[in-house]
Amino acid sequence: MTAEASFERRALHHPSFAIGSALVLLLLATAAISLAWTPWPPSELDIPHKLALPSAAHVFGTDSLGRDVASLIMAGARNSILVGVIAVAIGLVAGTAIGAIAAASKGWVEEVAMRISDFTFAFPAILSAIMLTALLGPGIVNSIVAIGIFNIPVFARVTRASANAVWTREFILAARVAGKNRAQITIEHVLPNILPVIIVQATIQFATAILAEAALSYLGLGTQPPQASWGRMLNEAQNLMFQAPRLAIYPGIAIALSVLGLNLVGDGLRDLLDPRLARRR
Amino acid sequence: MSLFLLRRMVAFLATLAGASFVIFVVLDILPGNAALTILGPDAPQSAVAALSHKLGLDQPAPTRYFNWIFGLLSGDLGVSYAYDTPVAQLILGGLSVSLPLAVMAMALTTLIALSLGIFAAARHNTLLDTGVMTLSQLGIAIPNFWLAILLILLFAVHLHWFSAGGFPGWGEGPLLALRALFLPAVALAMVQAAILARVTRSSILEVMREDFVRTARAKGLTWRAALWRHVLRNAMIPVVTIIGLQFGNLIAGTVVIENVFYLPGLGRLIFQAINNRDLIVVRDCVMLLAGFVVAMNFVIDIAYVAIDPRLKAQAP
Amino acid sequence: MTLLEVDDLSVVLSTARGPAKAVRKVSFALARGETLGVVGESGSGKSMTVLAMLGLLPEGARAAGQARFEGRDLLSLDEAELCRVRGDRIGVVFQEPMTALNPLHSVGRQVAETLMLHRGMSAGASRREAIRLLDRVGIPQAARRVDAYPHQFSGGQRQRVTIAIALACGPDLLIADEPTTALDVTIQRQILDLIAGLVEEDKMALILISHDLGVIAENVGRTLVMYGGALVEEGSTSEVFARPSHPYTQGLFRARPRLGAGRGTRLSTIKGAVPELADIPPGCPFAGRCPLSIPACDAALPASVPISASHAARCIRLDVALGSA
C-alpha cells in the first residue's frame, strides 16, 4: 500500500481530524463564496429594517444599522482568513528561519537567536497592537503585524527543537561527510524533515491568529469599518445586549467553530504525520 | 545560588532592558515630536515648544531614555498630559483592579486545570475522560471576551446574580469588589484552564508510563498513591512551563476583559491614554505589562529549581 | 516448603493486530530459599509472567490462572491486599537503573518510603534504616549520600539503590528482572554477586530473569526456559545445562560462543526470527523455526515430558531431539 493511500484511509478514520476538516472546509467555502455572492451586500445599511428578527429574507436577522448579519458573517470569514494567513506567514517565515539558523550554527549564534525569540514573548499580540495603534492609529495592518510578531518565537522554538533532533541523525552525518555545508544540509535535509511539525504548528497558530484578530477588532485596534469583522460585530453587539442578545451569538459561534476546526485539524495532523505513531497504528 | 538561576537572572535583566529599549524606540522616537502629536498639527509653534520643554523632549534621545529608566526605578513615572496627574498614581489605581483580577484568574485557571487534568488522567480511556477532553477542546476554541459576553447575558441580564460590569472600588468593602471581579476572572480563566487541563492530563499520562512509577508500584504503593507521590511532581514540569507561557495571554486577556466589564484597570487606562494621545501613559503601562510577563517567566524558572533537584547546586 | 505456586498463568495483550498471548499456561513452583532462573529472548514472556504475578501488567493486558504466594492467589487479591504483598513480602529489581528511580526524590527518601509504607516507621527511623540498607548494598559513605538525588549516582550505584528498595522489608522473594542488562560488563558481575550474597544471607527465594545463559548458570539452582510465551523446558540448572533437551534450548546453547572452540568453528544460529506474539500458532510456539517439527507440532501446546526427576521439556519429538544431541 502506498503512503498516500494509507494516509487518506487513516485520515478518514481519525474522527477529530475528519470533523476538523469539515469545519475548516466550511470556513474556506464561506469565505470563497462571499467573494462572489452574499445574500445582501455586507455593508449595505437599511436603517428602517434594523434589528430585524431572523426571517426568510435575513436568515440571521439584521444588526443595529439594518445590515444583514448572515452576509456580515460571510464577509467576516474572509477577513479572518486574510489576517490569519498573513500573520502566520510572517511568523512562519521569520520564526522558521531563526530556528533553523539557531539549530544549524549552535554556539553563541544559537544563544542570541533564541534569546531574541524569547524576548518577543514579552510582547503578547495585544501589547504590540497597542503600541502600533498609539503610533499609527488603529487598522487591520496593526493586527496583522502584531499577531505576526507574536508568532515568530513560537515557530522559532518549534523549529529549533525539531531541527536539533534531525541534526543528530545519521543521514545528516552522511551528508556532511559528502561535503555539504550547513546551509545546503538545512535546505535539503533538515527543513523537509521538520515540515510536518511546521505544518501542524501553522494550523494551530492559524487558530490562535483568528482568536487574536477577533480580540483586537473587538477592542477597536484591528479591522475598521466598513470591512466586516467577527470581533467588531461582537463589540457592536455588546451595546445591544439587552435589546438583541442574539447578535452576540452568531459571530461568537463563527469564531469558535473556525478555531475548533483548525485545532482539530492540527491535532489530527500531528497524529497522522508522526511516523512513529503511524507505524504503531 | 545555582548556576542555572544565575543565568536566568542575567537573561531576565537583559530581557527587561531590551524590552524597555524597544518600547522607548517605538513610543518615543518613532512618533517624532510627541508634543506635536499631542497638540495636533494646527497648534502654534510656541505652544509646541513649551510642551516639548515641559515633557523634556528638547533633550537628546539617550538622555530621555535614561531619565525614563531612572524614573521607573525610583517610582517617578512622569506626569500624564491628559489628566495632569502623576502617571504612577494612575497606574497604581489601575493595578488595584488589574492585579487582583489577574491573580484571581490565575488561581482559578490552575485550580480548574489541575483538577480536571488529574481527574481525566486518573480515568484515562473512560467516557468521563473523553467528555472532559471534548469540553476542553471546545473551551480552547471560545474567545474569552465572547465567553465574557455570554456570562454577562446569563448571570447579569437573565439571572441578575452579578452586575453586568463596573467596579465599586475597594472602599466599599472587599466582598463587593471581589464580586465585581468574579465573572471577569471566570471568563479569563476558562479558556486558559482548558489548555492547561489538556497539558496536565497528557503530562501525567506520559509520566505514568515511566519506569520509576513501576518501581513505586512494586514497593507496594497503590495506583492512586503512586499518582500523588511520584507522578504529579514530575508531571508538573511541563505544566509549569505552560503556565509561564500563558501568563502573557493572561495579561493580554486582562486588557480585553476589562473592556468587556468596564473595569477601571490598566487595560482601560491604556485605551483612554491611546484616545488622548497620552504617549507617556501608554509607554509606562506597556513597559509595566511587558515587565510582568518577563518577571513571571523568571518566577517560573525559580519554580523549576524548586521542583527539580537536577537544576540545583552544580556550582560553576 | 512451597513459597510460590504458579498454575496455568496466561497473559493476553491487546495489540493493534488483535489480542496476543504473551504468556501461555505457565506453571512452576518455588520453594522457600530456592533460586530460580528464567531464560529466554525478549518477547518470550518472562517479564510478563512476573509482572502478572505482581499485578503490574501494562494497560490493556489481562492475566488468567493462579499464582499462589504463601497460599494466597495473587491474581485474585484486590489492589489493597496486593499492595501489602508487593514491596513487603516480594521485592523487585527492574532492568533500567537509569530510569527506575524518581529523579525528583532523594534516594534515601525512596528507600525509606517502602519502610514507612509497610513497617509504619517514623521518618527518622526509616531514614536510619535506609542508611543501613544503602550501606549494606555497597553505597560508599551511605550516611552522607542518603540525601543525594539519583542523577548524582552512576548506573551501577543506582541499581544498588533499587536493590536496597527491594530488600528494605526483608522479603521472602526477590524478583530481579534483567538486573544487569543495562550495565557495563564490569559492573554486571558486582551487581550479580551482590544479589547472590544478599539472597544467601537473608535466605530469600530468588527469581532471576535473564537472556544471558552465563548469568543463569552461575546464580540459580533451577532454570526455566521460555519461548513464545510458553515454558518449553525446566529443570535443575546443572541438568538443563548438561543436557539441553528442547530443540529451542539446544539451539540457544549452540548459538553461544565458547572459549576454546577451534578456529573457524562457526557459531550456529536459530533460523528464522522470533514471531510476533499475535502470529504465534496454537501449537508449539517454536514449531515454525524448529528443524524437527512435524505437522502434529502445530496441533496443541505439547505436554510436559519428564526427562529425569528434576528435568522436563514440552516437546512431542523429545526422543529425536535427545537422540540428536
Side-chain angles (χ1 to χ4, degrees), chain A residues 120-178:
Chain A
T120 39
F121 263 121
F123 293 94
I126 297 219
L127 282 195
S128 309
I130 286 170
M131 289 204 294
L132 289 173
T133 309
L135 189 64
L136 309 168
I140 192 168
V141 178
N142 287 345
S143 45
I144 293 176
V145 172
I147 300 166
I149 289 175
F150 197 59
N151 273 332
I152 294 175
V154 177
F155 282 98
R157 283 188 175 193
V158 165
T159 304
R160 187 185 67 129
S162 349
N164 273 342
V166 175
W167 273 100
T168 63
R169 306 254 292 271
E170 287 84 1
F171 63 84
I172 297 285
L173 193 63
R176 294 181 73 173
V177 171

XYZ file of all heavy atoms in Angstrom, chain A residues 120-178:
439
model
N 10.652 38.298 22.312
C 9.371 38.735 21.752
C 8.184 38.144 22.505
O 7.070 38.615 22.380
C 9.260 38.357 20.268
O 9.830 37.073 20.097
C 9.974 39.333 19.389
N 8.450 37.097 23.332
C 7.386 36.568 24.168
C 6.904 37.612 25.176
O 5.804 37.513 25.715
C 7.865 35.335 24.942
C 7.490 34.058 24.282
C 8.455 33.147 23.901
C 6.162 33.764 24.043
C 8.103 31.963 23.283
C 5.796 32.580 23.436
C 6.778 31.681 23.052
N 7.751 38.582 25.460
C 7.372 39.621 26.417
C 6.270 40.511 25.845
O 5.673 41.294 26.575
C 8.581 40.448 26.808
N 6.027 40.391 24.533
C 5.025 41.249 23.915
C 3.875 40.432 23.336
O 3.885 40.094 22.156
C 5.653 42.100 22.807
C 6.620 43.104 23.334
C 7.969 42.826 23.401
C 6.169 44.326 23.799
C 8.863 43.749 23.910
C 7.049 45.258 24.306
C 8.403 44.973 24.370
N 2.901 40.098 24.171
C 1.713 39.455 23.627
C 1.128 40.331 22.522
O 1.316 41.558 22.541
C 0.756 39.391 24.815
C 1.609 39.529 26.023
C 2.793 40.342 25.606
N 0.412 39.702 21.570
C -0.079 40.427 20.399
C -0.788 41.721 20.784
O -0.642 42.752 20.118
C -1.013 39.528 19.593
N -1.514 41.681 21.894
C -2.282 42.875 22.263
C -1.365 44.033 22.641
O -1.632 45.188 22.283
C -3.238 42.524 23.419
C -4.213 41.479 22.911
C -3.920 43.766 23.967
C -5.610 41.583 23.341
N -0.256 43.731 23.315
C 0.662 44.821 23.681
C 1.282 45.444 22.435
O 1.370 46.676 22.324
C 1.755 44.301 24.608
C 1.375 44.101 26.075
C 2.628 43.935 26.922
C 0.548 45.252 26.594
N 1.735 44.579 21.498
C 2.301 45.127 20.261
C 1.264 45.966 19.533
O 1.561 47.062 19.043
C 2.756 44.002 19.339
O 3.568 43.111 20.030
N 0.042 45.439 19.468
C -1.002 46.159 18.748
C -1.296 47.491 19.423
O -1.536 48.501 18.754
C -2.267 45.302 18.686
N -1.252 47.517 20.757
C -1.494 48.770 21.473
C -0.430 49.796 21.092
O -0.723 50.953 20.795
C -1.494 48.522 22.993
C -2.786 47.814 23.395
C -1.325 49.829 23.765
C -2.789 47.314 24.820
N 0.832 49.336 21.065
C 1.902 50.273 20.708
C 1.747 50.767 19.280
O 1.888 51.954 19.007
C 3.264 49.589 20.881
C 3.629 49.351 22.331
S 5.396 49.218 22.572
C 5.775 47.737 21.694
N 1.444 49.814 18.372
C 1.313 50.211 16.973
C 0.144 51.178 16.787
O 0.230 52.123 15.992
C 1.109 48.970 16.088
C 2.351 48.098 15.934
C 2.017 46.810 15.200
C 3.426 48.870 15.166
N -0.920 50.939 17.522
C -2.073 51.823 17.384
C -1.756 53.207 17.929
O -2.130 54.228 17.334
C -3.279 51.239 18.123
O -3.447 49.899 17.708
C -4.541 52.026 17.837
N -1.041 53.228 19.069
C -0.651 54.521 19.621
C 0.213 55.270 18.627
O 0.189 56.494 18.544
C 0.106 54.308 20.934
N 0.968 54.509 17.846
C 1.903 55.110 16.903
C 1.203 55.504 15.601
O 1.358 56.622 15.109
C 3.005 54.083 16.615
C 4.219 54.529 15.835
C 4.966 55.576 16.626
C 5.126 53.330 15.586
N 0.438 54.569 15.030
C -0.079 54.744 13.667
C -1.577 54.945 13.609
O -2.117 55.169 12.533
C 0.267 53.500 12.827
C 1.709 53.032 12.831
C 1.818 51.661 12.211
C 2.588 54.026 12.084
N -2.265 54.788 14.730
C -3.720 54.781 14.668
C -4.195 53.379 14.380
O -3.413 52.536 13.918
N -5.474 53.100 14.647
C -5.968 51.734 14.502
C -6.052 51.305 13.046
O -6.127 52.146 12.155
C -7.365 51.800 15.128
C -7.763 53.238 15.011
C -6.502 54.033 15.097
N -6.015 50.003 12.793
C -6.135 49.488 11.433
C -5.805 48.021 11.367
O -5.207 47.460 12.285
N -6.175 47.407 10.234
C -6.007 45.965 10.086
C -4.533 45.588 10.046
O -4.127 44.527 10.525
C -6.754 45.481 8.811
C -6.851 43.952 8.800
C -6.083 45.979 7.559
C -7.804 43.446 7.745
N -3.708 46.526 9.505
C -2.278 46.235 9.409
C -1.685 46.009 10.792
O -0.872 45.112 11.004
C -1.549 47.384 8.684
C -0.056 47.115 8.631
C -2.120 47.558 7.287
N -2.112 46.836 11.760
C -1.640 46.666 13.133
C -1.834 45.247 13.613
O -0.932 44.632 14.182
C -2.439 47.547 14.103
C -2.069 48.984 13.965
O -1.043 49.291 13.370
N -2.902 49.853 14.485
N -3.056 44.741 13.415
C -3.330 43.417 13.972
C -2.497 42.368 13.258
O -1.960 41.470 13.896
C -4.823 43.096 13.903
O -5.350 43.428 12.656
N -2.358 42.511 11.935
C -1.556 41.514 11.214
C -0.119 41.521 11.714
O 0.445 40.476 12.052
C -1.603 41.783 9.692
C -3.018 41.531 9.165
C -0.598 40.914 8.957
C -3.202 41.848 7.699
N 0.473 42.710 11.817
C 1.871 42.798 12.242
C 2.019 42.302 13.683
O 2.914 41.510 13.994
C 2.382 44.248 12.117
C 3.769 44.377 12.739
C 2.409 44.676 10.661
N 1.113 42.742 14.553
C 1.241 42.375 15.961
C 1.120 40.862 16.146
O 1.908 40.253 16.871
C 0.167 43.083 16.780
N 0.145 40.247 15.472
C -0.023 38.797 15.606
C 1.165 38.084 14.984
O 1.683 37.104 15.522
C -1.343 38.328 14.958
C -2.533 39.006 15.640
C -1.488 36.823 15.048
C -3.839 38.879 14.886
N 1.619 38.606 13.847
C 2.774 38.010 13.179
C 3.998 38.009 14.076
O 4.693 36.997 14.209
N 4.268 39.152 14.736
C 5.434 39.231 15.621
C 5.331 38.192 16.732
O 6.291 37.500 17.048
C 5.548 40.649 16.227
C 5.972 41.634 15.135
C 6.554 40.675 17.369
C 6.004 43.067 15.601
N 4.128 38.065 17.299
C 3.997 37.140 18.408
C 4.137 35.686 17.940
O 4.440 34.805 18.735
C 2.658 37.332 19.117
C 2.640 36.713 20.478
C 3.556 37.109 21.445
C 1.745 35.715 20.795
C 3.572 36.540 22.703
C 1.746 35.132 22.057
C 2.656 35.555 23.011
N 3.921 35.442 16.641
C 4.073 34.082 16.128
C 5.530 33.697 15.918
O 5.846 32.515 15.844
C 3.328 33.934 14.792
C 1.877 33.559 15.009
O 1.545 32.929 16.003
N 1.020 33.955 14.090
N 6.402 34.702 15.783
C 7.801 34.394 15.455
C 8.445 33.445 16.473
O 8.969 32.398 16.101
C 8.629 35.689 15.298
C 8.116 36.457 14.077
C 10.109 35.378 15.146
C 8.767 37.813 13.890
N 8.419 33.781 17.765
C 9.104 32.887 18.708
C 8.477 31.494 18.776
O 9.186 30.520 19.026
C 8.965 33.613 20.047
C 7.832 34.546 19.878
C 7.844 34.950 18.443
N 7.170 31.420 18.525
C 6.531 30.093 18.553
C 7.165 29.198 17.501
O 7.597 28.072 17.780
C 5.019 30.234 18.302
C 4.370 28.871 18.252
C 4.376 31.103 19.375
N 7.250 29.708 16.267
C 7.841 28.907 15.197
C 9.335 28.700 15.430
O 9.874 27.635 15.134
C 7.600 29.568 13.837
C 6.207 29.352 13.315
C 5.228 30.322 13.484
C 5.875 28.166 12.685
C 3.941 30.113 13.016
C 4.591 27.947 12.217
C 3.618 28.928 12.387
N 10.003 29.722 15.961
C 11.443 29.593 16.179
C 11.725 28.449 17.146
O 12.605 27.618 16.913
C 12.014 30.906 16.704
N 10.971 28.388 18.245
C 11.209 27.331 19.236
C 10.946 25.951 18.662
O 11.747 25.030 18.807
C 10.293 27.537 20.433
C 10.769 28.634 21.335
C 9.941 28.673 22.583
N 10.490 29.658 23.495
C 10.133 29.749 24.764
N 9.247 28.920 25.261
N 10.673 30.661 25.532
N 9.784 25.826 18.006
C 9.418 24.517 17.457
C 10.443 24.076 16.424
O 10.894 22.933 16.408
C 8.012 24.597 16.845
C 7.755 23.399 15.960
C 6.974 24.674 17.939
N 10.836 25.020 15.547
C 11.802 24.671 14.502
C 13.124 24.239 15.102
O 13.690 23.221 14.729
C 12.035 25.876 13.573
O 10.784 26.291 13.054
C 12.974 25.519 12.455
N 13.612 25.023 16.078
C 14.920 24.680 16.630
C 14.886 23.306 17.285
O 15.778 22.486 17.083
C 15.384 25.712 17.642
C 16.821 25.428 18.070
C 17.287 26.344 19.153
N 16.562 26.105 20.390
C 17.146 25.909 21.552
N 18.450 25.956 21.650
N 16.438 25.708 22.636
N 13.836 23.063 18.084
C 13.767 21.785 18.788
C 13.749 20.624 17.803
O 14.507 19.662 17.949
C 12.531 21.746 19.679
N 12.897 20.703 16.761
C 12.844 19.567 15.836
C 14.085 19.515 14.971
O 14.557 18.431 14.646
C 11.593 19.611 14.936
O 10.697 20.562 15.375
N 14.612 20.692 14.593
C 15.809 20.682 13.749
C 16.993 20.089 14.512
O 17.766 19.320 13.960
C 16.143 22.095 13.274
N 17.109 20.410 15.799
C 18.190 19.827 16.597
C 18.111 18.315 16.581
O 19.126 17.626 16.499
C 18.118 20.333 18.036
C 18.863 21.639 18.199
O 19.692 21.988 17.356
N 18.567 22.357 19.261
N 16.875 17.794 16.658
C 16.716 16.340 16.646
C 17.156 15.774 15.310
O 17.815 14.734 15.253
C 15.258 15.973 16.933
N 16.812 16.478 14.211
C 17.203 15.979 12.885
C 18.724 16.003 12.724
O 19.306 15.088 12.164
C 16.520 16.798 11.772
C 17.015 16.366 10.403
C 15.019 16.657 11.850
N 19.343 17.066 13.270
C 20.798 17.213 13.106
C 21.572 16.060 13.731
O 22.741 15.841 13.398
C 21.286 18.530 13.716
C 21.203 19.677 12.757
C 20.240 20.626 12.706
C 22.120 20.000 11.709
N 20.477 21.509 11.687
C 21.633 21.152 11.059
C 23.302 19.421 11.243
C 22.288 21.726 9.976
C 23.948 19.996 10.161
C 23.444 21.135 9.542
N 20.973 15.341 14.678
C 21.696 14.240 15.297
C 21.555 12.935 14.517
O 22.154 11.941 14.883
C 21.176 13.973 16.721
O 19.803 13.584 16.627
C 21.283 15.200 17.602
N 20.771 12.951 13.413
C 20.527 11.690 12.712
C 21.687 11.325 11.790
O 22.486 12.167 11.391
C 19.227 11.808 11.899
C 18.034 12.236 12.735
C 17.082 11.103 12.985
N 16.419 10.676 11.780
C 15.267 11.204 11.340
N 14.693 12.183 11.998
N 14.710 10.732 10.255
N 21.746 10.050 11.441
C 22.894 9.546 10.686
C 22.969 10.136 9.286
O 24.051 10.408 8.778
C 22.843 8.013 10.576
C 23.177 7.284 11.856
C 21.967 7.169 12.775
O 20.890 7.653 12.359
O 22.091 6.621 13.868
N 21.787 10.333 8.635
C 21.886 10.778 7.246
C 22.449 12.194 7.146
O 22.989 12.587 6.131
C 20.532 10.654 6.526
C 19.430 11.505 7.088
C 19.296 12.832 6.704
C 18.532 10.987 7.999
C 18.281 13.618 7.218
C 17.511 11.769 8.518
C 17.388 13.083 8.137
N 22.357 12.976 8.243
C 22.982 14.295 8.255
C 24.497 14.124 8.260
O 25.228 14.805 7.526
C 22.537 15.082 9.498
C 21.041 15.319 9.466
C 23.314 16.378 9.617
C 20.605 16.368 8.491
N 24.939 13.168 9.074
C 26.370 12.890 9.130
C 26.864 12.490 7.750
O 27.905 12.965 7.277
C 26.613 11.772 10.152
C 28.056 11.554 10.572
C 28.582 12.791 11.276
C 28.154 10.336 11.470
N 26.067 11.637 7.080
C 26.436 11.196 5.736
C 26.553 12.389 4.801
O 27.507 12.495 4.022
C 25.392 10.205 5.216
N 25.590 13.315 4.897
C 25.619 14.487 4.020
C 26.850 15.346 4.312
O 27.464 15.903 3.405
C 24.340 15.296 4.205
N 27.208 15.431 5.615
C 28.375 16.255 5.955
C 29.649 15.614 5.434
O 30.546 16.295 4.941
C 28.453 16.451 7.463
C 27.297 17.276 7.984
C 27.383 17.486 9.456
N 28.433 18.443 9.793
C 28.608 18.897 11.022
N 27.827 18.477 11.989
N 29.560 19.757 11.265
N 29.700 14.276 5.564
C 30.863 13.570 5.035
C 30.958 13.803 3.530
O 32.031 13.949 2.973
C 30.756 12.067 5.354
C 31.842 11.294 4.626
C 30.856 11.852 6.853
N 29.784 13.894 2.864
C 29.769 14.104 1.416
C 30.152 15.536 1.048
O 30.171 15.888 -0.124
C 28.385 13.769 0.859
